[in-house]
Amino acid sequence: MPAVSKGDGMRGLAVFISDIRNCKSKEAEIKRINKELANIRSKFKGDKALDGYSKKKYVCKLLFIFLLGHDIDFGHMEAVNLLSSNKYTEKQIGYLFISVLVNSNSELIRLINNAIKNDLSSRNPTFMCLALHCIANVGSREMAEAFAGEIPRILVAGDTMDSVKQSAALCLLRLYKTSPDLVLMGEWTSRVVHLLNDQHMGVVTAAISLITCLSQKNPDEFKTCVSLAVSRLSRIVSSASTDLQDYTYYFVPAPWLSCKLLRLLQCYPPPEDGAVKGRLVECLETILNKAQEPPKSKKVQHSNAKNAILFEAISLIIHYDSEPNLLVRACNQLGQFLQHRETNLRYLALESMCTLASSEFSHEAVKTHIETVINALKTERDVSVRQRAADLLYAMCDRSNAKQIVAEMLSYLETADYSIREEMVLKVAILAEKYAVDYSWYVDTILNLIRIAGDYVSEEVWYRVIQIVINRDDVQGYAAKTVFEALQAPACHENMVKVGGYILGEFGNLIAGDPRSSPLVQFNLLHSKFHLCSVPTRALLLSAYIKFINLFPETKSTIQEVLRSDSQIRNSDVELQQRAVEYLKLSSIASTDVLATVLEEMPPFPERESSILAKLKKKKGPGAVSVNELEEGKREGELNGGGERGGDNSGIAASNASTPSPSADLLGLRTVPPVTAAAPSAGSLLVDVFSEAGVNDDGFLRDLEPPTESSDSLLAEGSGDSDSAPPSAVSEDPAPPLPESNELLNKFVCKNNGVLFENQLLQIGIKSEYRQNLGRMYLFYGNKTSVQFVTFTTTVTCPGELQSQLNVQTKTVEPLIEGGAQVQQVINIECLTDFLDAPLLNIKFRYGGALQNLTLKLPVTINKFFQPTEMASHDFFQRWKQLSQPQQEAQKIFKANHAMDTEVLKAKLLGLGMALLENVDPNPENFVCAGVIQTKAQQVGSLLRLEPNAQAQMYRLTLRSSKDTVSQRLCELLAEQF
């Protein structure tokens, strides 16, 4: 950088700054600033031209005033004029003023761009750097449009100085982050990647930041950087601290560059080339070995630099998850940090070991540190470190140590910080359920959990224990006995009362033989808690009381007296009043048999995955609980719990939801408006397919009237040869479907309009629209030749089971199509039930005397009958949990067939027919959709979750529907679309 001469000191600026600092009040400061602004304005407007020094000084004063928080509305042109100066200090101040004060919408942007272009082409490295810094600081889209093509050329040019290359790389990174669509590397890709081999370490450091960002967006284009990065890393790791003197930081060679190289490698899978992979493994081993060496300096900067490289190396080892030896070594190294005196190191070690615990290679090694982690949970002063210790205990838990870990976490809960109690409760509940082999232990654990941290036990936790107790006959008696004992405590949490009310209401008879827990004792114990509880809990207890009347007739008079009391029958809360009145009447007028039927024991819940995992994932945010863990919880959990059903066990009140039946409102169907058209009568199943209405997007189903023919005749015509020519005209059998018919069908899964088929003779266009379970399709047959098509006939057939699943009616098409002409055919479709196959369209005609016979699949797929369903996050996950039976889910992991563009994905999902739900999935990269397939027989609720992995160019598609065949079919269709 050029030296600043003595004359550039700008004494006037120093005096002004001194005056401002000496002001005794805000008013004095404003007065001095206004005086200076008036002086500068007069100087700029004066007739006498100012020299460069004066302009620079006044522009500097304006910049200082702006930084004090005052608006500046003049001086911009003078700053732009400074850019044309040949003096470094003047040009520097001009660029500084522009970088701070000029926005992208300024009218001066064109003049500024011209000045920057002049400096970039000047080949003066100092001026080029100033221009590049200005571009990066402003970083506007206009700047990107003007210079995105020029900067890569400067970056890779052989005669560009190293300092300019560094600035160019960082400037390009800034532009790419603000306007990625304008920064296209194209032909420069390989030359930019080869900057990793540059001899100047500063250039490599700047270039790797750019390459890492580009690799994250376009990994395939930059995959050649892996071998170069490994080579450069190997040279740095194997070098001594004296080899890279200019880039050695406290005896650690190039720590920043090493960290960036390791981070770049985390964008890619392990190298496929054996030599490159071997070299990388050597580098990682060397880093781990150096961590064991005695420090070369006692200063904290040395250990910080050394540990930064170590943790990035461990992150890379975890990312690859393919080298058992390295994973175990990394675990052992982190284990040493668990007892380090530096709090940050302990925190990072716990965090990294959480990830290591999920690897099959290192899980056992992580478990060896269990005592140290438990000690950290108990003794750490910093709450964030204690939270990481709890996370690690959760991650390392398995069947061999579950009881120990759960016991320690319960013990810690009594003194845990309030900020992490709810999360701790969820984790204890999940572990107790996931690894329980003894159900009595599970019940004890959850009740203990409620006793210790009742305020933090969410509904999901106590719902879950009730579901499991109901589903397990062998634990019901023990649960009733245990909860009865727990309720005897003087201070009893309300959640304990809820669990007690539910379990005793269902299974109190199992312990009624003991005089200490006789029916009246149970009732009095529950009722002693009644006045202390909230309204929902009181409602649950009232339901338990009516259950008691069924289980223990001897309690009937006592309970009726309670229900008849003014505090119940005249309760200000309408829910409690209604229950009291209804239960009292029910117990009075119903016979014993009727009462036993109405109040029979709750049936077992259907097997479902644990809702607590989803609760923890929602609380922790993206990535906290992996999909694999959710699946593992479903597979490994031996507790046959059901879906959530609410806390009430009455089974008779209108407000209580029972086990969902196949026709239950799984997706909020009762909020879907009814079909606007009049419902067809039993004798008119199909709408008027012979209407002459043309294609009208707005008038779909509006002007359709029931047909005059009987349904039998319509069905016969729809599935037969109603639109065929006489048999004598064309008697040949239909041709088999074209080989590409499936591919043509897949093109229309997510769209309704387009060209279905085209060859040298014929073009078939399609336009379709669907409402509820009805659809109308318009086919356009175009003659591409100059010769007539004669005896032109079309037949739509539904093969096999499809005849009972779809009703299809077609309108007769004109038998003669002139050359260059087009005819239209209308097809009406009614979906009776879900289906797998597609109708077949056979087309026959004669062209020049030769018979043309071809068969296609009509693009009628099950998703066409979707009704989009909007729902909030809570509703979505509740539905998701309800649809968790194995046969209701279909999942597929597949390679991306097309570019992973977010907008394209959204468009395809919307074209599918479902509602695309925003801000529902905790991971913003994922897509979730909801919809209801409308068929005449039933409504099939469906939920979709699409998880793109841009790095691996893979998708995981999960579909859950209330009908298994629908899930499978939708999964097959959609896997071909992305």
Side-chain angles (χ1 to χ4, degrees):
M1 184 180 292
V4 179
S5 64
K6 275 191 175 182
D8 289 329
M10 292 187 287
R11 183 172 176 273
L13 175 64
V15 170
F16 173 62
I17 293 173
S18 177
D19 289 348
I20 293 293
R21 288 178 176 172
N22 291 331
C23 288
K24 302 297 184 183
S25 65
K26 185 69 175 175
E27 290 74 15
E29 178 184 309
I30 294 173
K31 184 177 179 182
R32 178 68 182 89
I33 287 173
N34 288 337
K35 178 182 177 183
E36 190 63 38
L37 287 173
N39 177 55
I40 297 171
R41 199 185 297 270
S42 65
K43 294 291 184 182
F44 285 167
K45 287 186 176 179
D47 297 333
K48 186 179 178 182
L50 292 175
D51 59 5
Y53 171 79
S54 299
K55 279 185 185 176
K56 178 185 70 172
K57 179 178 67 175
Y58 293 134
V59 167
C60 252
K61 287 183 177 180
L62 290 176
L63 184 58
F64 178 72
I65 292 170
F66 176 78
L67 295 177
L68 288 176
H70 300 271
D71 292 333
I72 300 297
D73 56 2
F74 69 98
H76 298 76
M77 195 64 205
E78 284 72 16
V80 173
N81 290 337
L82 286 175
L83 300 184
S84 59
S85 172
N86 288 323
K87 287 188 176 181
Y88 169 77
T89 53
E90 294 175 7
K91 190 181 289 286
Q92 179 195 37
I93 296 300
Y95 274 124
L96 183 60
F97 185 92
I98 287 165
S99 298
V100 174
L101 271 86
V102 174
N103 60 48
S104 58
N105 298 323
S106 172
E107 297 175 355
L108 300 173
I109 201 74
R110 185 170 296 178
L111 292 173
I112 295 169
N113 285 353
N114 288 335
I116 290 174
K117 284 181 181 176
N118 292 335
D119 284 336
L120 289 179
S121 59
S122 68
R123 312 309 298 170
N124 181 322
T126 306
F127 292 174
M128 292 177 75
C129 284
L130 284 174
L132 289 167
H133 296 166
C134 180
I135 296 171
N137 284 330
V138 176
S140 65
R141 189 169 182 83
E142 290 75 11
M143 290 273 190
E145 289 174 348
F147 303 110
E150 176 69 12
I151 297 173
R153 185 187 60 77
I154 296 172
L155 177 60
V156 301
D159 57 346
T160 304
M161 290 187 65
D162 293 332
S163 60
V164 179
K165 283 186 179 180
Q166 289 175 258
S167 298
L170 296 177
C171 178
L172 200 57
L173 174 61
R174 160 73 169 159
L175 293 182
Y176 184 78
K177 286 183 175 180
T178 55
S179 305
D181 56 315
L182 297 178
V183 182
L184 305 174
M185 301 309 296
E187 59 183 303
W188 309 110
T189 300
S190 61
R191 297 176 70 179
V192 170
V193 169
H194 277 82
L195 288 174
L196 293 176
N197 278 335
D198 198 279
Q199 293 182 351
H200 193 277
M201 297 287 280
V203 173
V204 180
T205 305
I208 198 169
S209 297
L210 173 63
I211 293 168
T212 302
C213 186
L214 293 170
S215 298
Q216 289 169 348
K217 297 286 186 180
N218 306 293
D220 290 338
E221 290 184 29
F222 291 87
K223 61 184 177 183
T224 54
C225 70
V226 173
S227 58
L228 297 177
V230 171
S231 175
R232 174 63 78 172
L233 180 65
S234 177
R235 277 179 277 167
I236 295 172
V237 168
S238 60
S239 64
S241 57
T242 54
D243 297 341
L244 301 170
Q245 289 185 354
D246 292 341
Y247 289 89
T248 296
Y249 179 78
Y250 288 88
F251 303 101
V252 181
W256 283 276
L257 179 55
S258 299
C259 289
K260 289 186 175 185
L261 287 166
L262 290 164
R263 204 165 293 157
L264 171 61
L265 291 171
Q266 291 175 47
C267 297
Y268 292 92
E272 296 177 358
D273 189 321
V276 175
K277 186 175 182 180
R279 195 171 183 183
L280 177 57
V281 170
E282 287 178 14
C283 291
L284 296 172
E285 288 178 341
T286 305
I287 293 171
L288 293 174
N289 291 336
K290 284 186 175 182
Q292 300 291 335
E293 296 174 0
K296 297 179 180 177
S297 171
K298 292 184 178 179
K299 297 203 171 184
V300 69
Q301 291 92 338
H302 170 73
S303 61
N304 282 348
K306 193 174 173 183
N307 291 331
I309 297 172
L310 175 63
F311 276 103
E312 282 298 340
I314 290 173
S315 296
L316 181 60
I317 292 169
I318 294 170
H319 171 72
Y320 285 167
D321 195 20
S322 59
E323 297 291 331
N325 181 45
L326 288 178
L327 285 163
V328 173
R329 286 195 62 188
C331 181
N332 294 335
Q333 180 62 52
L334 292 171
Q336 296 177 18
F337 286 146
L338 291 179
Q339 295 177 313
H340 200 279
R341 60 185 178 84
E342 178 63 42
T343 305
N344 289 337
L345 276 181
R346 296 197 300 274
Y347 179 93
L348 290 170
L350 289 166
E351 189 176 49
S352 298
M353 287 185 81
C354 283
T355 314
L356 275 173
S358 63
S359 169
E360 59 178 314
F361 301 116
S362 54
H363 182 78
E364 292 300 321
V366 171
K367 283 167 57 179
T368 61
H369 301 284
I370 185 171
E371 296 299 335
T372 308
V373 180
I374 289 172
N375 186 57
L377 184 67
K378 293 177 178 178
T379 60
E380 278 289 348
R381 292 183 179 181
D382 192 312
V383 63
S384 60
V385 181
R386 292 198 297 273
Q387 187 166 2
R388 293 287 82 78
D391 290 344
L392 180 53
L393 282 175
Y394 175 76
M396 69 166 65
C397 187
D398 58 21
R399 296 197 184 281
S400 66
N401 57 18
K403 288 192 176 182
Q404 179 188 4
I405 288 177
V406 168
E408 292 293 348
M409 292 176 83
L410 277 173
S411 173
Y412 173 66
L413 253 179
E414 298 192 30
T415 56
D417 299 81
Y418 294 112
S419 59
I420 65 173
R421 281 196 179 188
E422 184 179 358
E423 187 181 323
M424 290 281 292
V425 166
L426 288 173
K427 288 180 173 177
V428 170
I430 290 168
L431 295 179
E433 176 187 341
K434 190 174 180 182
Y435 298 115
V437 290
D438 179 358
Y439 293 100
S440 59
W441 173 77
Y442 170 75
V443 171
D444 287 340
T445 300
I446 299 300
L447 295 183
N448 205 15
L449 192 64
I450 295 173
R451 180 185 62 79
I452 293 171
D455 288 339
Y456 299 91
V457 174
S458 63
E459 288 184 337
E460 286 83 359
V461 175
W462 72 265
Y463 285 177
R464 190 68 176 157
V465 70
I466 286 171
Q467 293 161 8
I468 288 165
V469 169
I470 286 176
N471 282 27
R472 301 293 306 188
D473 295 340
D474 54 345
V475 78
Q476 290 166 358
Y478 181 82
K481 175 177 176 292
T482 308
V483 79
F484 175 78
E485 293 172 352
L487 286 171
Q488 291 176 342
C492 191
H493 195 274
E494 188 168 337
N495 281 336
M496 186 72 79
V497 178
K498 291 177 181 177
V499 176
Y502 203 117
I503 290 179
L504 291 179
E506 293 290 334
F507 311 114
N509 59 311
L510 300 178
I511 60 171
D514 189 333
R516 292 170 296 178
S517 55
S518 64
L520 273 176
V521 172
Q522 291 184 42
F523 169 73
N524 290 331
L525 179 61
L526 281 177
H527 195 56
S528 67
K529 314 290 182 184
F530 187 88
H531 65 287
L532 300 172
C533 298
S534 62
V535 169
T537 307
R538 291 184 185 187
L540 186 147
L541 288 177
L542 289 178
S543 297
Y545 296 169
I546 191 67
K547 287 268 189 173
F548 268 38
I549 292 179
N550 179 46
L551 291 176
F552 316 116
E554 64 268 29
T555 63
K556 181 174 180 178
S557 59
T558 306
I559 294 174
Q560 283 182 335
E561 188 177 337
V562 170
L563 294 175
R564 199 178 289 115
S565 65
D566 284 352
S567 60
Q568 304 303 333
I569 212 163
R570 298 180 185 275
N571 198 294
S572 59
D573 185 88
V574 66
E575 174 70 19
L576 294 180
Q577 185 187 102
Q578 182 178 354
R579 290 194 183 214
V581 170
E582 290 181 357
Y583 292 167
L584 178 60
K585 200 69 174 172
L586 179 65
S587 66
S588 303
I589 65 173
S591 65
T592 306
D593 292 340
V594 171
L595 204 61
T597 304
V598 174
L599 301 173
E600 65 181 352
E601 188 178 304
M602 294 292 278
F605 288 78
E607 291 187 24
R608 297 182 186 274
E609 70 184 12
S610 173
S611 59
I612 315 174
L613 276 172
K615 171 86 172 177
L616 179 63
K617 183 178 181 183
K618 184 176 179 181
K619 178 174 176 56
K620 292 284 281 180
V625 182
S626 65
V627 174
N628 291 337
E629 187 170 0
L630 286 166
E631 292 300 321
E632 185 183 351
K634 183 165 61 176
R635 288 194 306 271
E636 292 190 6
E638 296 182 357
L639 306 173
N640 299 326
E644 290 184 39
R645 219 184 314 179
D648 200 336
N649 69 334
S650 70
I652 59 170
S655 60
N656 297 347
S658 61
T659 308
S661 66
S663 60
D665 186 23
L666 296 180
L667 287 173
L669 299 179
R670 294 180 179 84
T671 62
V672 177
V675 183
T676 54
S681 63
S684 55
L685 298 177
L686 297 180
V687 294
D688 182 9
V689 298
F690 301 108
S691 164
E692 293 296 333
V695 180
N696 183 353
D697 291 336
D698 299 323
F700 181 76
L701 295 181
R702 185 181 58 200
D703 55 347
L704 301 180
E705 298 295 337
T708 55
E709 296 90 339
S710 70
S711 60
D712 295 335
S713 64
L714 285 177
L715 291 172
E717 290 176 4
S719 59
D721 297 325
S722 63
D723 54 337
S724 302
S728 59
V730 180
S731 59
E732 287 81 357
D733 293 332
L738 295 175
E740 65 269 25
S741 58
N742 283 329
E743 182 181 343
L744 297 173
L745 175 76
N746 287 331
K747 284 169 52 180
F748 285 86
V749 170
C750 294
K751 66 177 184 177
N752 290 334
N753 306 329
V755 177
L756 176 63
F757 172 79
E758 186 169 13
N759 61 14
Q760 294 178 339
L761 306 178
L762 176 69
Q763 181 188 64
I764 305 174
I766 188 170
K767 183 170 184 178
S768 54
E769 48 188 347
Y770 297 85
R771 300 284 168 84
Q772 304 290 332
N773 68 318
L774 302 174
R776 172 174 281 177
M777 183 179 290
Y778 299 86
L779 293 176
F780 302 92
Y781 303 101
N783 184 347
K784 295 175 62 177
T785 71
S786 56
V787 181
Q788 290 180 336
F789 291 166
V790 296
T791 63
F792 189 91
T793 61
T794 64
T795 308
V796 177
T797 57
C798 296
E801 293 182 355
L802 197 60
Q803 293 183 20
S804 61
Q805 296 165 342
L806 285 181
N807 269 344
V808 180
Q809 286 189 337
T810 58
K811 181 182 176 182
T812 306
V813 69
E814 291 292 331
L816 181 71
I817 305 179
E818 298 289 345
Q822 183 186 77
V823 296
Q824 172 186 312
Q825 182 178 28
V826 181
I827 300 177
N828 278 354
I829 304 155
E830 181 184 32
C831 181
L832 304 177
T833 183
D834 62 285
F835 58 95
L836 301 178
D837 295 328
L840 297 180
L841 170 66
N842 176 249
I843 303 162
K844 298 176 188 173
F845 61 92
R846 292 194 178 273
Y847 167 73
L851 175 67
Q852 306 296 321
N853 185 352
L854 60 98
T855 302
L856 302 167
K857 289 188 176 182
L858 271 184
V860 181
T861 48
I862 188 65
N863 64 289
K864 300 297 182 185
F865 301 96
F866 259 127
Q867 178 83 18
T869 305
E870 295 290 344
M871 58 175 63
S873 176
H874 169 76
D875 296 330
F876 178 88
F877 285 109
Q878 187 175 359
R879 307 291 190 244
W880 185 264
K881 286 176 283 188
Q882 289 176 342
L883 298 172
S884 60
Q885 293 184 18
Q887 67 270 23
Q888 292 178 326
E889 178 179 283
Q891 188 177 86
K892 194 166 186 179
I893 299 173
F894 53 93
K895 193 78 175 173
N897 298 317
H898 310 285
M900 301 180 78
D901 184 279
T902 302
E903 295 305 317
V904 173
L905 289 176
K906 287 183 179 179
K908 287 187 176 181
L909 290 171
L910 289 171
L912 178 68
M914 306 178 82
L916 183 60
L917 308 180
E918 302 286 350
N919 303 319
V920 168
D921 197 292
N923 187 345
E925 299 296 322
N926 295 345
F927 301 91
V928 292
C929 302
V932 180
I933 292 177
Q934 304 282 344
T935 73
K936 185 179 181 184
Q938 65 180 132
Q939 296 172 321
V940 183
S942 298
L943 301 176
L944 175 149
R945 189 182 193 205
L946 181 67
E947 302 167 84
N949 184 336
Q951 181 179 325
Q953 290 292 295
M954 301 280 286
Y955 290 101
R956 172 164 36 207
L957 174 66
T958 309
L959 274 146
R960 291 187 178 183
S961 300
S962 54
K963 197 166 184 183
D964 53 350
T965 53
V966 173
S967 302
Q968 294 294 338
R969 181 54 176 160
L970 288 174
C971 197
E972 292 169 6
L973 289 171
L974 278 175
E976 303 295 329
Q977 303 302 311
F978 304 108

